[in-house]
Structure formats: C-alpha cells, structure tokens
Amino acid sequence: MPQSRNDLHDNAKKTSIGVLQGCLTDSIDLYNATRHAHWNVKGPHFSALHTMFEEFYTTLATDIDELAERLVQLGGTAMGTSQSVQGSTRLPAYPTDIKAGMDHVKALLDRYAMVAKALREGIDATDEAGDADTADILTGVSKNADKALWMLEAHTQG
Ligand SMILES: [Fe+2]
C-alpha cells in the first residue's frame, strides 16, 4: 500500500479495492452497453426507451466516478481502459445484432440485475471488512441500479 494518512486497516483497503474494481469494471461495461442501446434501439417505443437509456447511462457515469475515486483513495489504481475492462468484465458481451426495444430492455435487464447483485454482495463484504464508507458508496450506487432494474422490469410486466 502506498503511504497515505487514510487510517483504514490494510486488510479492509484490500477488500474494498477488490470489490470496487469488480463493480467499476462491470459498470463501465454496462455504461457502454447502455449507450449502445440508446443509439441503436428501434420500434414504436423508440422515444421513451432512447430517453430512459440516456438517464441510465448519465447516472452510471456519476456512479462510475464515485467507485473509481474511492478505489484510488484507498491506494489502488482504478483500471478503466477499454482493454482492462474487456479482459475482466463479469458481464456477458452485449448482443450487437438486436434492434427491437424489448430485446434491448431484456438484454439490459439481465446485466443490470448482475450489477445490482454484485453491488449488494460488495456492500456486505466491505461492511464486514470494516470499511463503512465504501459500503455507503456501494449502497448509493446499488439504489440507482435497483431503480434502473425496476424501470426495465416495468416494461416486461403488466
Ligand atoms: Fe444521445
């Protein structure tokens, strides 16, 4: 660990850096997938979905920054290049051959659910490690992921 006056235990820092990097990588991948959907979605619900996907990636951009900056505060290097994301994302590759609105909704729904699950697991892991601040940041990001998940699921129900 590099020298820092941040007095969190090294073990807690290591746990948090690992959790944050995993969530950061997945969130950058999800951000790019959401932009892809925003650009390429077609069909009768184009306008609503195009706008909703934009809201999602705008929120994700802020959340990605929160995750990355916390990681660096703890002594890590926030890995955010395309090459590092491609090599370590836990999300399946986003299908580039789909166009219909519901197909994009379902593809994003699967991936937002994975990210939301990983964030929730990360909250517990960092809390147990003694890093309440990282758990708090993950909780904020988790709330946004759950909200996106709700909005996507609403399109598949009723
Ligand atoms: Fe746009």
Side-chain angles (χ1 to χ4, degrees), residues 27-60:
S27 297
I28 293 171
D29 193 9
L30 187 60
Y31 173 89
N32 287 331
T34 308
R35 290 210 74 149
H36 176 92
H38 166 78
W39 293 324
N40 294 295
V41 66
K42 310 270 190 219
H45 303 295
F46 167 81
S47 185
L49 292 175
H50 179 72
T51 302
M52 185 175 78
F53 297 159
E54 180 170 357
E55 288 169 7
F56 289 174
Y57 73 66
T58 301
T59 299
L60 265 175

PDB file of all heavy atoms in Angstrom, residues 27-60:
ATOM      1  N   SER A  27     -19.513  -1.861 -14.275  1.00  0.00           N
ATOM      2  CA  SER A  27     -20.314  -0.650 -14.504  1.00  0.00           C
ATOM      3  C   SER A  27     -19.875   0.086 -15.761  1.00  0.00           C
ATOM      4  O   SER A  27     -20.713   0.670 -16.464  1.00  0.00           O
ATOM      5  CB  SER A  27     -20.226   0.287 -13.292  1.00  0.00           C
ATOM      6  OG  SER A  27     -20.786  -0.336 -12.151  1.00  0.00           O
ATOM      7  N   ILE A  28     -18.569   0.076 -16.058  1.00  0.00           N
ATOM      8  CA  ILE A  28     -18.104   0.691 -17.309  1.00  0.00           C
ATOM      9  C   ILE A  28     -18.638  -0.109 -18.499  1.00  0.00           C
ATOM     10  O   ILE A  28     -19.111   0.462 -19.493  1.00  0.00           O
ATOM     11  CB  ILE A  28     -16.562   0.769 -17.341  1.00  0.00           C
ATOM     12  CG1 ILE A  28     -16.057   1.754 -16.282  1.00  0.00           C
ATOM     13  CG2 ILE A  28     -16.073   1.183 -18.731  1.00  0.00           C
ATOM     14  CD1 ILE A  28     -14.543   1.738 -16.079  1.00  0.00           C
ATOM     15  N   ASP A  29     -18.585  -1.428 -18.388  1.00  0.00           N
ATOM     16  CA  ASP A  29     -19.129  -2.286 -19.450  1.00  0.00           C
ATOM     17  C   ASP A  29     -20.623  -1.998 -19.633  1.00  0.00           C
ATOM     18  O   ASP A  29     -21.120  -1.843 -20.760  1.00  0.00           O
ATOM     19  CB  ASP A  29     -18.888  -3.750 -19.066  1.00  0.00           C
ATOM     20  CG  ASP A  29     -19.123  -4.711 -20.224  1.00  0.00           C
ATOM     21  OD1 ASP A  29     -19.297  -4.263 -21.364  1.00  0.00           O
ATOM     22  OD2 ASP A  29     -19.127  -5.931 -19.964  1.00  0.00           O
ATOM     23  N   LEU A  30     -21.345  -1.896 -18.512  1.00  0.00           N
ATOM     24  CA  LEU A  30     -22.786  -1.624 -18.562  1.00  0.00           C
ATOM     25  C   LEU A  30     -23.072  -0.234 -19.140  1.00  0.00           C
ATOM     26  O   LEU A  30     -24.034  -0.049 -19.885  1.00  0.00           O
ATOM     27  CB  LEU A  30     -23.375  -1.747 -17.149  1.00  0.00           C
ATOM     28  CG  LEU A  30     -24.892  -1.669 -17.045  1.00  0.00           C
ATOM     29  CD1 LEU A  30     -25.571  -2.781 -17.835  1.00  0.00           C
ATOM     30  CD2 LEU A  30     -25.326  -1.728 -15.580  1.00  0.00           C
ATOM     31  N   TYR A  31     -22.233   0.729 -18.794  1.00  0.00           N
ATOM     32  CA  TYR A  31     -22.363   2.085 -19.349  1.00  0.00           C
ATOM     33  C   TYR A  31     -22.274   2.037 -20.878  1.00  0.00           C
ATOM     34  O   TYR A  31     -23.119   2.607 -21.577  1.00  0.00           O
ATOM     35  CB  TYR A  31     -21.256   2.983 -18.768  1.00  0.00           C
ATOM     36  CG  TYR A  31     -21.175   4.351 -19.383  1.00  0.00           C
ATOM     37  CD1 TYR A  31     -21.923   5.420 -18.881  1.00  0.00           C
ATOM     38  CD2 TYR A  31     -20.337   4.593 -20.482  1.00  0.00           C
ATOM     39  CE1 TYR A  31     -21.849   6.683 -19.455  1.00  0.00           C
ATOM     40  CE2 TYR A  31     -20.259   5.850 -21.057  1.00  0.00           C
ATOM     41  CZ  TYR A  31     -21.011   6.885 -20.550  1.00  0.00           C
ATOM     42  OH  TYR A  31     -20.942   8.134 -21.124  1.00  0.00           O
ATOM     43  N   ASN A  32     -21.265   1.335 -21.386  1.00  0.00           N
ATOM     44  CA  ASN A  32     -21.090   1.260 -22.841  1.00  0.00           C
ATOM     45  C   ASN A  32     -22.258   0.522 -23.497  1.00  0.00           C
ATOM     46  O   ASN A  32     -22.724   0.923 -24.565  1.00  0.00           O
ATOM     47  CB  ASN A  32     -19.761   0.575 -23.178  1.00  0.00           C
ATOM     48  CG  ASN A  32     -18.579   1.483 -22.874  1.00  0.00           C
ATOM     49  OD1 ASN A  32     -18.695   2.700 -22.925  1.00  0.00           O
ATOM     50  ND2 ASN A  32     -17.451   0.885 -22.546  1.00  0.00           N
ATOM     51  N   ALA A  33     -22.725  -0.543 -22.845  1.00  0.00           N
ATOM     52  CA  ALA A  33     -23.870  -1.295 -23.391  1.00  0.00           C
ATOM     53  C   ALA A  33     -25.120  -0.411 -23.427  1.00  0.00           C
ATOM     54  O   ALA A  33     -25.905  -0.458 -24.382  1.00  0.00           O
ATOM     55  CB  ALA A  33     -24.126  -2.540 -22.536  1.00  0.00           C
ATOM     56  N   THR A  34     -25.304   0.397 -22.391  1.00  0.00           N
ATOM     57  CA  THR A  34     -26.493   1.251 -22.316  1.00  0.00           C
ATOM     58  C   THR A  34     -26.446   2.337 -23.384  1.00  0.00           C
ATOM     59  O   THR A  34     -27.471   2.680 -23.988  1.00  0.00           O
ATOM     60  CB  THR A  34     -26.620   1.855 -20.906  1.00  0.00           C
ATOM     61  OG1 THR A  34     -26.551   0.806 -19.930  1.00  0.00           O
ATOM     62  CG2 THR A  34     -27.938   2.581 -20.742  1.00  0.00           C
ATOM     63  N   ARG A  35     -25.259   2.871 -23.636  1.00  0.00           N
ATOM     64  CA  ARG A  35     -25.115   3.859 -24.723  1.00  0.00           C
ATOM     65  C   ARG A  35     -25.398   3.192 -26.069  1.00  0.00           C
ATOM     66  O   ARG A  35     -26.055   3.781 -26.937  1.00  0.00           O
ATOM     67  CB  ARG A  35     -23.709   4.459 -24.720  1.00  0.00           C
ATOM     68  CG  ARG A  35     -23.456   5.362 -23.526  1.00  0.00           C
ATOM     69  CD  ARG A  35     -22.471   6.457 -23.839  1.00  0.00           C
ATOM     70  NE  ARG A  35     -23.100   7.463 -24.666  1.00  0.00           N
ATOM     71  CZ  ARG A  35     -22.796   8.758 -24.643  1.00  0.00           C
ATOM     72  NH1 ARG A  35     -21.876   9.217 -23.830  1.00  0.00           N
ATOM     73  NH2 ARG A  35     -23.413   9.612 -25.432  1.00  0.00           N
ATOM     74  N   HIS A  36     -24.907   1.975 -26.229  1.00  0.00           N
ATOM     75  CA  HIS A  36     -25.166   1.239 -27.470  1.00  0.00           C
ATOM     76  C   HIS A  36     -26.680   1.094 -27.681  1.00  0.00           C
ATOM     77  O   HIS A  36     -27.186   1.324 -28.788  1.00  0.00           O
ATOM     78  CB  HIS A  36     -24.483  -0.132 -27.421  1.00  0.00           C
ATOM     79  CG  HIS A  36     -24.765  -0.982 -28.610  1.00  0.00           C
ATOM     80  ND1 HIS A  36     -23.963  -0.992 -29.721  1.00  0.00           N
ATOM     81  CD2 HIS A  36     -25.792  -1.829 -28.875  1.00  0.00           C
ATOM     82  CE1 HIS A  36     -24.485  -1.818 -30.623  1.00  0.00           C
ATOM     83  NE2 HIS A  36     -25.587  -2.340 -30.130  1.00  0.00           N
ATOM     84  N   ALA A  37     -27.387   0.720 -26.614  1.00  0.00           N
ATOM     85  CA  ALA A  37     -28.842   0.555 -26.714  1.00  0.00           C
ATOM     86  C   ALA A  37     -29.521   1.896 -27.020  1.00  0.00           C
ATOM     87  O   ALA A  37     -30.451   1.962 -27.833  1.00  0.00           O
ATOM     88  CB  ALA A  37     -29.379  -0.040 -25.406  1.00  0.00           C
ATOM     89  N   HIS A  38     -29.072   2.956 -26.385  1.00  0.00           N
ATOM     90  CA  HIS A  38     -29.607   4.316 -26.618  1.00  0.00           C
ATOM     91  C   HIS A  38     -29.505   4.697 -28.091  1.00  0.00           C
ATOM     92  O   HIS A  38     -30.438   5.249 -28.674  1.00  0.00           O
ATOM     93  CB  HIS A  38     -28.816   5.287 -25.733  1.00  0.00           C
ATOM     94  CG  HIS A  38     -28.977   6.734 -26.054  1.00  0.00           C
ATOM     95  ND1 HIS A  38     -30.084   7.462 -25.687  1.00  0.00           N
ATOM     96  CD2 HIS A  38     -28.139   7.607 -26.680  1.00  0.00           C
ATOM     97  CE1 HIS A  38     -29.925   8.734 -26.081  1.00  0.00           C
ATOM     98  NE2 HIS A  38     -28.754   8.835 -26.674  1.00  0.00           N
ATOM     99  N   TRP A  39     -28.391   4.370 -28.704  1.00  0.00           N
ATOM    100  CA  TRP A  39     -28.178   4.744 -30.109  1.00  0.00           C
ATOM    101  C   TRP A  39     -28.956   3.864 -31.071  1.00  0.00           C
ATOM    102  O   TRP A  39     -29.446   4.337 -32.099  1.00  0.00           O
ATOM    103  CB  TRP A  39     -26.686   4.617 -30.477  1.00  0.00           C
ATOM    104  CG  TRP A  39     -25.797   5.587 -29.800  1.00  0.00           C
ATOM    105  CD1 TRP A  39     -26.068   6.889 -29.489  1.00  0.00           C
ATOM    106  CD2 TRP A  39     -24.455   5.350 -29.331  1.00  0.00           C
ATOM    107  NE1 TRP A  39     -24.993   7.458 -28.863  1.00  0.00           N
ATOM    108  CE2 TRP A  39     -23.994   6.549 -28.762  1.00  0.00           C
ATOM    109  CE3 TRP A  39     -23.610   4.240 -29.344  1.00  0.00           C
ATOM    110  CZ2 TRP A  39     -22.721   6.675 -28.200  1.00  0.00           C
ATOM    111  CZ3 TRP A  39     -22.340   4.353 -28.794  1.00  0.00           C
ATOM    112  CH2 TRP A  39     -21.900   5.557 -28.229  1.00  0.00           C
ATOM    113  N   ASN A  40     -29.053   2.567 -30.797  1.00  0.00           N
ATOM    114  CA  ASN A  40     -29.490   1.614 -31.822  1.00  0.00           C
ATOM    115  C   ASN A  40     -30.905   1.076 -31.654  1.00  0.00           C
ATOM    116  O   ASN A  40     -31.380   0.346 -32.522  1.00  0.00           O
ATOM    117  CB  ASN A  40     -28.504   0.441 -31.879  1.00  0.00           C
ATOM    118  CG  ASN A  40     -27.137   0.894 -32.363  1.00  0.00           C
ATOM    119  OD1 ASN A  40     -26.996   1.326 -33.511  1.00  0.00           O
ATOM    120  ND2 ASN A  40     -26.136   0.846 -31.499  1.00  0.00           N
ATOM    121  N   VAL A  41     -31.567   1.432 -30.551  1.00  0.00           N
ATOM    122  CA  VAL A  41     -32.916   0.896 -30.325  1.00  0.00           C
ATOM    123  C   VAL A  41     -33.863   1.384 -31.435  1.00  0.00           C
ATOM    124  O   VAL A  41     -33.737   2.510 -31.936  1.00  0.00           O
ATOM    125  CB  VAL A  41     -33.440   1.303 -28.922  1.00  0.00           C
ATOM    126  CG1 VAL A  41     -33.661   2.802 -28.795  1.00  0.00           C
ATOM    127  CG2 VAL A  41     -34.703   0.532 -28.578  1.00  0.00           C
ATOM    128  N   LYS A  42     -34.801   0.490 -31.822  1.00  0.00           N
ATOM    129  CA  LYS A  42     -35.800   0.826 -32.842  1.00  0.00           C
ATOM    130  C   LYS A  42     -37.174   0.376 -32.353  1.00  0.00           C
ATOM    131  O   LYS A  42     -37.269  -0.447 -31.445  1.00  0.00           O
ATOM    132  CB  LYS A  42     -35.514   0.079 -34.159  1.00  0.00           C
ATOM    133  CG  LYS A  42     -34.101   0.170 -34.682  1.00  0.00           C
ATOM    134  CD  LYS A  42     -33.924   1.347 -35.603  1.00  0.00           C
ATOM    135  CE  LYS A  42     -32.567   1.273 -36.301  1.00  0.00           C
ATOM    136  NZ  LYS A  42     -31.961   2.596 -36.420  1.00  0.00           N
ATOM    137  N   GLY A  43     -38.205   0.868 -33.012  1.00  0.00           N
ATOM    138  CA  GLY A  43     -39.547   0.380 -32.734  1.00  0.00           C
ATOM    139  C   GLY A  43     -40.465   1.466 -32.212  1.00  0.00           C
ATOM    140  O   GLY A  43     -40.058   2.621 -32.049  1.00  0.00           O
ATOM    141  N   PRO A  44     -41.726   1.078 -31.930  1.00  0.00           N
ATOM    142  CA  PRO A  44     -42.753   2.069 -31.580  1.00  0.00           C
ATOM    143  C   PRO A  44     -42.469   2.804 -30.268  1.00  0.00           C
ATOM    144  O   PRO A  44     -43.008   3.890 -30.061  1.00  0.00           O
ATOM    145  CB  PRO A  44     -44.037   1.238 -31.487  1.00  0.00           C
ATOM    146  CG  PRO A  44     -43.595  -0.179 -31.331  1.00  0.00           C
ATOM    147  CD  PRO A  44     -42.277  -0.289 -32.026  1.00  0.00           C
ATOM    148  N   HIS A  45     -41.644   2.218 -29.403  1.00  0.00           N
ATOM    149  CA  HIS A  45     -41.336   2.877 -28.125  1.00  0.00           C
ATOM    150  C   HIS A  45     -39.963   3.540 -28.149  1.00  0.00           C
ATOM    151  O   HIS A  45     -39.349   3.757 -27.101  1.00  0.00           O
ATOM    152  CB  HIS A  45     -41.432   1.870 -26.984  1.00  0.00           C
ATOM    153  CG  HIS A  45     -42.774   1.209 -26.906  1.00  0.00           C
ATOM    154  ND1 HIS A  45     -43.928   1.907 -26.608  1.00  0.00           N
ATOM    155  CD2 HIS A  45     -43.160  -0.064 -27.142  1.00  0.00           C
ATOM    156  CE1 HIS A  45     -44.965   1.077 -26.646  1.00  0.00           C
ATOM    157  NE2 HIS A  45     -44.525  -0.127 -26.972  1.00  0.00           N
ATOM    158  N   PHE A  46     -39.510   3.837 -29.356  1.00  0.00           N
ATOM    159  CA  PHE A  46     -38.166   4.405 -29.512  1.00  0.00           C
ATOM    160  C   PHE A  46     -37.917   5.581 -28.572  1.00  0.00           C
ATOM    161  O   PHE A  46     -36.929   5.622 -27.827  1.00  0.00           O
ATOM    162  CB  PHE A  46     -37.925   4.865 -30.968  1.00  0.00           C
ATOM    163  CG  PHE A  46     -36.693   5.720 -31.084  1.00  0.00           C
ATOM    164  CD1 PHE A  46     -35.436   5.142 -31.145  1.00  0.00           C
ATOM    165  CD2 PHE A  46     -36.785   7.114 -31.074  1.00  0.00           C
ATOM    166  CE1 PHE A  46     -34.285   5.932 -31.205  1.00  0.00           C
ATOM    167  CE2 PHE A  46     -35.644   7.900 -31.135  1.00  0.00           C
ATOM    168  CZ  PHE A  46     -34.391   7.305 -31.199  1.00  0.00           C
ATOM    169  N   SER A  47     -38.824   6.561 -28.617  1.00  0.00           N
ATOM    170  CA  SER A  47     -38.548   7.815 -27.910  1.00  0.00           C
ATOM    171  C   SER A  47     -38.394   7.596 -26.407  1.00  0.00           C
ATOM    172  O   SER A  47     -37.451   8.097 -25.786  1.00  0.00           O
ATOM    173  CB  SER A  47     -39.665   8.827 -28.193  1.00  0.00           C
ATOM    174  OG  SER A  47     -39.337  10.053 -27.610  1.00  0.00           O
ATOM    175  N   ALA A  48     -39.327   6.819 -25.817  1.00  0.00           N
ATOM    176  CA  ALA A  48     -39.288   6.573 -24.371  1.00  0.00           C
ATOM    177  C   ALA A  48     -38.034   5.787 -23.985  1.00  0.00           C
ATOM    178  O   ALA A  48     -37.362   6.124 -22.995  1.00  0.00           O
ATOM    179  CB  ALA A  48     -40.540   5.821 -23.934  1.00  0.00           C
ATOM    180  N   LEU A  49     -37.702   4.773 -24.776  1.00  0.00           N
ATOM    181  CA  LEU A  49     -36.537   3.940 -24.436  1.00  0.00           C
ATOM    182  C   LEU A  49     -35.234   4.703 -24.662  1.00  0.00           C
ATOM    183  O   LEU A  49     -34.318   4.642 -23.835  1.00  0.00           O
ATOM    184  CB  LEU A  49     -36.550   2.648 -25.261  1.00  0.00           C
ATOM    185  CG  LEU A  49     -37.687   1.675 -24.926  1.00  0.00           C
ATOM    186  CD1 LEU A  49     -37.667   0.488 -25.881  1.00  0.00           C
ATOM    187  CD2 LEU A  49     -37.615   1.199 -23.480  1.00  0.00           C
ATOM    188  N   HIS A  50     -35.157   5.420 -25.769  1.00  0.00           N
ATOM    189  CA  HIS A  50     -33.968   6.239 -26.068  1.00  0.00           C
ATOM    190  C   HIS A  50     -33.684   7.196 -24.902  1.00  0.00           C
ATOM    191  O   HIS A  50     -32.547   7.329 -24.447  1.00  0.00           O
ATOM    192  CB  HIS A  50     -34.264   7.002 -27.364  1.00  0.00           C
ATOM    193  CG  HIS A  50     -33.191   7.924 -27.837  1.00  0.00           C
ATOM    194  ND1 HIS A  50     -32.010   7.479 -28.380  1.00  0.00           N
ATOM    195  CD2 HIS A  50     -33.145   9.279 -27.881  1.00  0.00           C
ATOM    196  CE1 HIS A  50     -31.267   8.526 -28.732  1.00  0.00           C
ATOM    197  NE2 HIS A  50     -31.931   9.630 -28.438  1.00  0.00           N
ATOM    198  N   THR A  51     -34.736   7.831 -24.396  1.00  0.00           N
ATOM    199  CA  THR A  51     -34.593   8.781 -23.280  1.00  0.00           C
ATOM    200  C   THR A  51     -34.265   8.059 -21.975  1.00  0.00           C
ATOM    201  O   THR A  51     -33.402   8.496 -21.210  1.00  0.00           O
ATOM    202  CB  THR A  51     -35.896   9.603 -23.123  1.00  0.00           C
ATOM    203  OG1 THR A  51     -36.151  10.278 -24.348  1.00  0.00           O
ATOM    204  CG2 THR A  51     -35.788  10.600 -21.990  1.00  0.00           C
ATOM    205  N   MET A  52     -34.934   6.949 -21.727  1.00  0.00           N
ATOM    206  CA  MET A  52     -34.691   6.208 -20.483  1.00  0.00           C
ATOM    207  C   MET A  52     -33.255   5.682 -20.439  1.00  0.00           C
ATOM    208  O   MET A  52     -32.585   5.787 -19.407  1.00  0.00           O
ATOM    209  CB  MET A  52     -35.686   5.049 -20.352  1.00  0.00           C
ATOM    210  CG  MET A  52     -35.570   4.311 -19.025  1.00  0.00           C
ATOM    211  SD  MET A  52     -36.832   3.033 -18.815  1.00  0.00           S
ATOM    212  CE  MET A  52     -36.170   1.716 -19.824  1.00  0.00           C
ATOM    213  N   PHE A  53     -32.779   5.153 -21.547  1.00  0.00           N
ATOM    214  CA  PHE A  53     -31.401   4.630 -21.573  1.00  0.00           C
ATOM    215  C   PHE A  53     -30.401   5.767 -21.336  1.00  0.00           C
ATOM    216  O   PHE A  53     -29.373   5.571 -20.679  1.00  0.00           O
ATOM    217  CB  PHE A  53     -31.113   3.925 -22.902  1.00  0.00           C
ATOM    218  CG  PHE A  53     -31.960   2.699 -23.168  1.00  0.00           C
ATOM    219  CD1 PHE A  53     -32.134   2.220 -24.469  1.00  0.00           C
ATOM    220  CD2 PHE A  53     -32.582   2.015 -22.125  1.00  0.00           C
ATOM    221  CE1 PHE A  53     -32.917   1.093 -24.717  1.00  0.00           C
ATOM    222  CE2 PHE A  53     -33.372   0.878 -22.366  1.00  0.00           C
ATOM    223  CZ  PHE A  53     -33.534   0.424 -23.672  1.00  0.00           C
ATOM    224  N   GLU A  54     -30.717   6.950 -21.835  1.00  0.00           N
ATOM    225  CA  GLU A  54     -29.827   8.099 -21.598  1.00  0.00           C
ATOM    226  C   GLU A  54     -29.784   8.442 -20.105  1.00  0.00           C
ATOM    227  O   GLU A  54     -28.716   8.733 -19.551  1.00  0.00           O
ATOM    228  CB  GLU A  54     -30.281   9.321 -22.408  1.00  0.00           C
ATOM    229  CG  GLU A  54     -29.370  10.522 -22.190  1.00  0.00           C
ATOM    230  CD  GLU A  54     -29.631  11.670 -23.143  1.00  0.00           C
ATOM    231  OE1 GLU A  54     -30.484  11.552 -24.038  1.00  0.00           O
ATOM    232  OE2 GLU A  54     -28.968  12.702 -22.972  1.00  0.00           O
ATOM    233  N   GLU A  55     -30.932   8.398 -19.450  1.00  0.00           N
ATOM    234  CA  GLU A  55     -30.958   8.655 -17.999  1.00  0.00           C
ATOM    235  C   GLU A  55     -30.103   7.624 -17.264  1.00  0.00           C
ATOM    236  O   GLU A  55     -29.384   7.958 -16.328  1.00  0.00           O
ATOM    237  CB  GLU A  55     -32.401   8.609 -17.479  1.00  0.00           C
ATOM    238  CG  GLU A  55     -33.240   9.807 -17.914  1.00  0.00           C
ATOM    239  CD  GLU A  55     -34.738   9.626 -17.633  1.00  0.00           C
ATOM    240  OE1 GLU A  55     -35.129   8.634 -16.977  1.00  0.00           O
ATOM    241  OE2 GLU A  55     -35.505  10.476 -18.106  1.00  0.00           O
ATOM    242  N   PHE A  56     -30.199   6.384 -17.702  1.00  0.00           N
ATOM    243  CA  PHE A  56     -29.417   5.321 -17.051  1.00  0.00           C
ATOM    244  C   PHE A  56     -27.912   5.577 -17.183  1.00  0.00           C
ATOM    245  O   PHE A  56     -27.163   5.491 -16.212  1.00  0.00           O
ATOM    246  CB  PHE A  56     -29.729   3.951 -17.670  1.00  0.00           C
ATOM    247  CG  PHE A  56     -31.096   3.393 -17.359  1.00  0.00           C
ATOM    248  CD1 PHE A  56     -31.519   2.222 -17.968  1.00  0.00           C
ATOM    249  CD2 PHE A  56     -31.956   4.017 -16.468  1.00  0.00           C
ATOM    250  CE1 PHE A  56     -32.763   1.676 -17.691  1.00  0.00           C
ATOM    251  CE2 PHE A  56     -33.210   3.489 -16.193  1.00  0.00           C
ATOM    252  CZ  PHE A  56     -33.610   2.315 -16.811  1.00  0.00           C
ATOM    253  N   TYR A  57     -27.464   5.875 -18.406  1.00  0.00           N
ATOM    254  CA  TYR A  57     -26.002   5.999 -18.544  1.00  0.00           C
ATOM    255  C   TYR A  57     -25.478   7.297 -17.940  1.00  0.00           C
ATOM    256  O   TYR A  57     -24.316   7.366 -17.523  1.00  0.00           O
ATOM    257  CB  TYR A  57     -25.519   5.742 -19.981  1.00  0.00           C
ATOM    258  CG  TYR A  57     -25.795   6.790 -21.028  1.00  0.00           C
ATOM    259  CD1 TYR A  57     -25.205   8.052 -20.966  1.00  0.00           C
ATOM    260  CD2 TYR A  57     -26.596   6.505 -22.129  1.00  0.00           C
ATOM    261  CE1 TYR A  57     -25.428   8.997 -21.955  1.00  0.00           C
ATOM    262  CE2 TYR A  57     -26.827   7.448 -23.123  1.00  0.00           C
ATOM    263  CZ  TYR A  57     -26.248   8.688 -23.025  1.00  0.00           C
ATOM    264  OH  TYR A  57     -26.469   9.633 -24.004  1.00  0.00           O
ATOM    265  N   THR A  58     -26.347   8.308 -17.860  1.00  0.00           N
ATOM    266  CA  THR A  58     -25.926   9.552 -17.184  1.00  0.00           C
ATOM    267  C   THR A  58     -25.709   9.289 -15.690  1.00  0.00           C
ATOM    268  O   THR A  58     -24.722   9.748 -15.100  1.00  0.00           O
ATOM    269  CB  THR A  58     -26.992  10.646 -17.403  1.00  0.00           C
ATOM    270  OG1 THR A  58     -27.144  10.853 -18.809  1.00  0.00           O
ATOM    271  CG2 THR A  58     -26.595  11.943 -16.730  1.00  0.00           C
ATOM    272  N   THR A  59     -26.616   8.543 -15.085  1.00  0.00           N
ATOM    273  CA  THR A  59     -26.458   8.162 -13.674  1.00  0.00           C
ATOM    274  C   THR A  59     -25.232   7.270 -13.490  1.00  0.00           C
ATOM    275  O   THR A  59     -24.448   7.458 -12.547  1.00  0.00           O
ATOM    276  CB  THR A  59     -27.724   7.431 -13.189  1.00  0.00           C
ATOM    277  OG1 THR A  59     -28.833   8.320 -13.310  1.00  0.00           O
ATOM    278  CG2 THR A  59     -27.597   6.967 -11.739  1.00  0.00           C
ATOM    279  N   LEU A  60     -25.054   6.326 -14.393  1.00  0.00           N
ATOM    280  CA  LEU A  60     -23.900   5.414 -14.304  1.00  0.00           C
ATOM    281  C   LEU A  60     -22.578   6.167 -14.381  1.00  0.00           C
ATOM    282  O   LEU A  60     -21.619   5.812 -13.686  1.00  0.00           O
ATOM    283  CB  LEU A  60     -23.958   4.388 -15.445  1.00  0.00           C
ATOM    284  CG  LEU A  60     -24.604   3.045 -15.163  1.00  0.00           C
ATOM    285  CD1 LEU A  60     -24.660   2.230 -16.457  1.00  0.00           C
ATOM    286  CD2 LEU A  60     -23.852   2.275 -14.086  1.00  0.00           C
TER     287      LEU A  60
END
